[in-house]
């Protein structure tokens, strides 16, 4: 690790575009003071944010570490901490962070931090990585002499993060990986968070327009009134599950979102299963948000447009609050099916942009180009 003169340590946060860059920029407000207070070295820390797609066409941690080292050698940086929202794998495990004390480098995979309190966890992880790189020389667990182990809440008995295997020819000298079922769930939630499923609602404008139009027409349809009043709660739940599943399946098939691998190794199949699970959960959350919005909009529309006498004469059921709710619920299921059909008007690129993070879009586009070649 290089050390700047005048008791100043320059820390560069090399972040992939989009969410990693936003996270890096937000933490720069308090990171220098916290590093100075916790280091106990009487040094000042300057933190810079550099937004670059350093993971372009690469998912291999050793290759990424070499790329980060080459990028840092051209600048006057003492420490480089790289942040990406891609899930990284090493020796069959999900990577949390790689550190090279000799070169002052750290590579952090944000999905390993989970889907909750991401900003706080990312700041803590960056703090621990920087303090490890500038700390006194020590022998860390699972690392060679000179590697300072991470401390604090990032690596604790409650977190599913443990020291991992490092190859002899790798630049990294200390590695932490996510293990076990809790680790799998943590990475899955982190991938879903990176995809930001709430963007699915505005991203599928044509599907949403089709759903709203279907709901508006269905609300004033007397056949729908009769069906809604005759359905029990279990059947309404089945209609909800069926319509949401249909929407998710249609989006996956229509936009070719299902991840396939040509490799036959168990590790490749596990990675593919993880990517597909994140796709299903991301779409599920987005579609459920759309569904809840349709219920609310249909309820308001029904309160405005329905005539209680006409409804009662058609269904032989008085129009009260329960009937408004049941009708809005059932119409939302019908409208979701209409939205699934309307999503066919969306381009594959628009669906991927709504369902995935920027780096994940580029990764999948690269895979499709490779298959096309």
């Amino acid at each position: 690790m290089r050390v700047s003169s005048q008791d100043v340590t320059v820390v560069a946060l090399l972040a992939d575009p989009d969410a990693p860059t936003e996270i890096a920029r937000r933490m720069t407000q308090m990171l220098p003071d916290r590093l100075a207070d916790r280091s106990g070295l009487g040094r000042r820390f300057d933190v810079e944010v550099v937004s670059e797609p350093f993971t372009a066409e690469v998912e291999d941690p050793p290759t990424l570490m070499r790329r980060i080292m080459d990028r840092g050698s051209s600048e006057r940086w003492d420490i480089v901490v790289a942040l990406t929202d891609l899930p990284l794998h090493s020796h069959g495990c999900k990577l949390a962070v790689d550190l090279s004390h000799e070169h002052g480098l750290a590579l952090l995979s944000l999905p390993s931090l989970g889907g909750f309190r991401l900003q706080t966890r990312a700041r803590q992880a960056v703090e621990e990585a920087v303090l490890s790189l500038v700390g006194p020389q020590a022998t860390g667990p699972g690392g060679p002499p000179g590697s300072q182990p991470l401390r604090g809440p990032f690596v604790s008995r409650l977190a599913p993060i443990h020291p991992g295997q490092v190859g002899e020819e790798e630049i990294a000298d200390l590695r932490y990986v996510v293990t076990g079922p809790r680790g799998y769930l943590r990475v899955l939630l982190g991938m879903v968070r990176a995809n930001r499923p709430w963007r699915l609602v505005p991203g599928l404008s044509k599907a949403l327009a089709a759903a709203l139009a279907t709901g508006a027409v269905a609300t004033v349809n007397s056949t729908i009134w009769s069906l809604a009043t005759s359905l029990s709660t279990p059947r309404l739940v089945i209609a909800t599950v069926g319509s949401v599943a249909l929407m998710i399946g249609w989006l996956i098939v229509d936009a070719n979102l299902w991840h396939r691998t040509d490799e036959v190794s168990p590790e490749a199949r596990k990675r593919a299963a993880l990517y597909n699970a994140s796709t299903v959960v991301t779409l599920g959350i987005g579609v459920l948000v759309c569904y809840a919005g349709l219920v609310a909009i249909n309820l308001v529309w029904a309160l405005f447009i329905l005539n209680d006498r006409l409804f009662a004469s058609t269904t032989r059921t008085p129009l009260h609050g329960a009937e408004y709710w049941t009708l809005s619920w059932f119409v939302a299921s019908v409208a979701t099916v209409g939205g699934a059909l309307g999503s066919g008007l969306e381009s594959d690129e628009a669906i991927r942009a709504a369902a995935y993070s920027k780096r994940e879009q580029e990764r999948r586009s690269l895979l499709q180009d490779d298959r096309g070649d």
Side-chain angles (χ1 to χ4, degrees), residues 58-279:
V58 176
E59 293 184 62
D60 179 50
T63 304
L64 288 174
M65 288 293 283
R66 286 192 293 271
R67 180 177 289 185
I68 297 167
M69 182 180 67
D70 294 340
R71 180 66 178 87
S73 63
S74 63
E75 303 287 345
R76 299 178 62 85
W77 298 332
D78 301 311
I79 294 175
V80 182
V81 180
L83 292 82
T84 180
D85 54 1
L86 282 180
L88 302 176
H89 299 78
S90 176
H91 300 282
C93 297
K94 302 164 189 65
L95 179 72
V97 61
D98 263 357
L99 297 108
S100 173
H101 292 76
E102 179 182 357
H103 301 93
L105 308 176
L107 170 62
L108 176 63
S109 177
L110 293 175
S112 67
L113 303 179
F116 304 101
R117 300 177 59 245
L118 181 59
Q119 183 67 45
T120 300
R121 288 178 174 178
R123 176 181 54 76
Q124 291 172 344
V126 170
E127 285 181 15
E128 299 302 332
V130 173
L131 293 175
S132 173
L133 295 174
V134 302
Q137 300 297 296
T139 300
S147 63
Q148 181 71 11
L150 300 186
R151 305 181 302 273
F154 175 65
V155 179
S156 66
R157 290 180 297 175
L158 298 179
I161 299 178
H162 309 283
Q165 177 184 353
V166 181
E168 295 181 358
E169 298 182 357
E170 294 189 40
I171 295 175
D173 52 41
L174 186 60
R175 169 171 294 152
Y176 284 87
V177 296
V178 182
T179 59
R182 289 180 57 238
Y184 181 92
L185 181 60
R186 182 178 176 127
V187 174
L188 176 60
L189 292 177
M191 294 173 66
V192 172
R193 169 65 182 267
N195 290 336
R196 294 189 280 190
W198 52 88
R199 299 188 307 181
L200 193 69
V201 179
L204 299 178
S205 57
K206 294 178 182 178
L208 186 59
L212 290 173
T214 303
V217 173
T219 301
V220 297
N221 187 286
S222 59
T223 303
I224 296 294
W225 298 349
S226 301
L227 285 174
T229 55
S230 64
L231 290 176
S232 61
T233 299
R235 290 190 175 186
L236 288 170
V237 172
I238 293 174
T240 299
V241 174
S243 61
V244 170
L246 178 63
M247 181 70 162
I248 295 172
W250 183 275
L251 290 172
I252 290 175
V253 173
D254 185 56
N256 194 23
L257 303 183
W258 197 253
H259 180 82
R260 297 178 178 86
T261 178
D262 297 329
E263 302 178 37
V264 296
S265 64
E267 294 181 5
R269 293 185 180 277
K270 289 180 180 179
R271 288 198 298 269
L274 181 63
Y275 282 121
N276 289 329
S278 70
T279 296

